Amino acid sequence: MMSVQVGFTSCPAFYRSSRTATMASQPPGLAEEPDPSPGESELAVNPFDGLPFSSRYYELLEQRRGLPIWAARFIFLEHLESSPTGVVLVSGEPGSGKSTQIPQWCAEFALARGFQNGQVTVTQPYPLAALSLALRVADEMDLTVGHEVGYSIPQEDCTGPSTLLRFCWDRLLLQELASTRGTGSWGVLVLDETQERSVASDSLQGLLRDTLLGNLPGDPRVVVVTDPALEPKLQAFWGNPPVVHVPRMPGRSPTPIYRDTVPTDRVEAACQAVLELCWKEAPGDVLVYLASEEEISLCCESLSRKIGTLALLEPLPRVLPLHLGSGQAIQAMYEDTDVGTRKVVVTHWLADFSFSLPSIRHVIDSGLELRSVYHPRIRAESQVLRPVSQCQAEARRLRARGFPPGSYLCLYARELKAPPLPQPRVCEENLSSLMLLLKRRQIAEPGQCHFLDRPAPEALMQALEDLDYLAALDDDGDLSDLGVILSEFPLAPELAKALLASCEFNCVDEMLTLAAMLTAAPGFTRPPLCAEEAALRRALEHTDGDHSSLIQVYEAFIQSGEDEAWCQARGLNWAALRQARKLRGELLELMQRIELPLSQPAFGSEQNRRDLQKALVSGYFLKVARDTDGTGNYLLLTHKHVAQLSSYCCYRQRRAPARPPQWVLYHSFSISKDNCLSVVSEIQPEMLVELAPPYFLSNLPPSESRDLLNQLREGMADSSADEATSSAQELSNACVLQ
């Protein structure tokens, strides 16, 4: 069998002293070869592509060998080979090298088996992390991204037939796993950053545990990588698999510096702390943790402005934002800068465990995070500002570890109470999409699935009830034919239903645009900065409401040639609009692949206006509200909450005395911002009675709105009966005449 260590240097000193004892227990084909001499190194061949290693490979290899995880290499490979259940748990602190080295060692393991059982797949809780790691690992392995090493994230699949190691957003892998009987195309699966507790990561673990890997063909392996804080829970969940403990990071951890009084303006306090570090000329880069993406943007703008006006020593610090919308700009964090140039990375919870930067010496921590929490009883999101967990706070502190230690400034009091672990997202998100995938996997009772933390019963029931209303379930509670098609789309079930309904109502082109915009770029996210920008925005508004306005925005963006300056002048997110364009193409390709009917563009015509409303009502009948007093106080149909239109809604931008529409359909409802309805369009109640399931209308809570709808339904039923009687009478008369 081919040795997987062709061209690899010898084991670290820790293992040299016991090399004889270690060799006997190493898995076949995983023995290290001696260090090549300078002349031989030019001839060393990369076993994954058959090409000679570059000089950069050896430079990076020296860095890799200095990581704490390197000392656990042989014991990890031994457990991977011999684990009786096929599961290995890896526990280590952030920054120890787990996310970059474990995938490479799994690739070596799979290479020793000839990749007969499939590729190595590595999941990440965030698409940005999957992209970043693929680029870094390909560089360390001296391979090409898109060939031997690839990544799969929304709207971007950079893999090919020769891909051996794939980094993947965990939600995409969950969708793949739900569509297959076995494990899919992987032979080794690495579930990374499981302490993040994403819905997909927790669900994948539950599915894999229930599958029983030992009963599957191909002898698959699963590696679960986590923070030490979650290790006991994962050990119990997986039945005490072998555990690889990563040695602690070298260096001393800084002592937290707490504030006696909590600043009222977190952004301003963080900016001031960064400037003080710059004035002191304290060496090392700075990492700033704020609560939200909005605060990140405000902080970066403020820092860039203040740094440019202050008489700081050259070169000036480089301010870099890091959030979910950063895209490939994230690589700027890892680029070498001019000597003496300090990086100031401003981020939030995204970088608690991912995106390690060895150059960080100073951490400024707000101690808070802004998270969306779904309330199933009222089908509403709320933005919750809360303290980060003790586990997250410790991970942030360790970012500044070193010789000597850096600094860790907390913009909060020592007495701040925090939970020990991050909140599991499966207990805080809408589970309709997850239930759809579990039903696709032919799991009859999702409530019986194994979860690290079981969701609330009402959350599971509400998700199943919504799927039933959408006709995604049959009379036995299994997935219907329509439900199978819905599960193919990377969309929320109600949006996927609206897109399918557009096939019936001949408005597919417009609904494709709308589905992409609602998912990737849902309109304006901040007030206009000046009168000129406000005027440019008003030119994009459509009289039919926010949904048609989104279509108009997209078409204008395409006509502009996807110009970034055009977006900036109107307060639009250029990167989000480009994502919407990619998603629209992906949805169109999916519809063509499953042979769904398409339609020609007709946006703007009266018929298309009605057809688009019908398609939206077919999917969003659960999200309808009625103005009860003519002043914009909307009573939601499914529960007795009163809400107002968002400040960005086109109906609120119209000149007085424009009256708000009486019946509206909305995309989302938030109870944290003045009970706002976002992305709203007017509908006619007759359309709701016609297209919503009758039992849905019957199950509505008592209200004047329900009574009005029932009266309409009875009237429409009487009208239909009269028409049927009239037609029968005409037919009878015709027979008599004959």
Side-chain angles (χ1 to χ4, degrees), residues 717-736:
D718 292 341
S719 176
S720 299
D722 290 343
E723 290 178 5
T725 302
S726 176
S727 299
Q729 185 64 42
E730 290 176 5
L731 180 60
S732 175
N733 292 339
C735 293
V736 170

Side-chain angles (χ1 to χ4, degrees), residues 348-366:
H348 56 18
W349 40 262
L350 176 66
D352 283 337
F353 303 102
S354 305
F355 307 102
S356 297
L357 295 168
S359 59
I360 295 295
R361 299 302 309 279
H362 308 281
V363 175
I364 300 167
D365 185 10
S366 69

Side-chain angles (χ1 to χ4, degrees), residues 379 494 620-625 638 664-669:
R379 295 182 173 89
E494 63 270 18
Y620 282 86
F621 54 84
L622 284 162
K623 296 184 176 182
V624 172
T638 53
V664 296
L665 173 148
Y666 59 91
H667 178 64
S668 62
F669 168 48

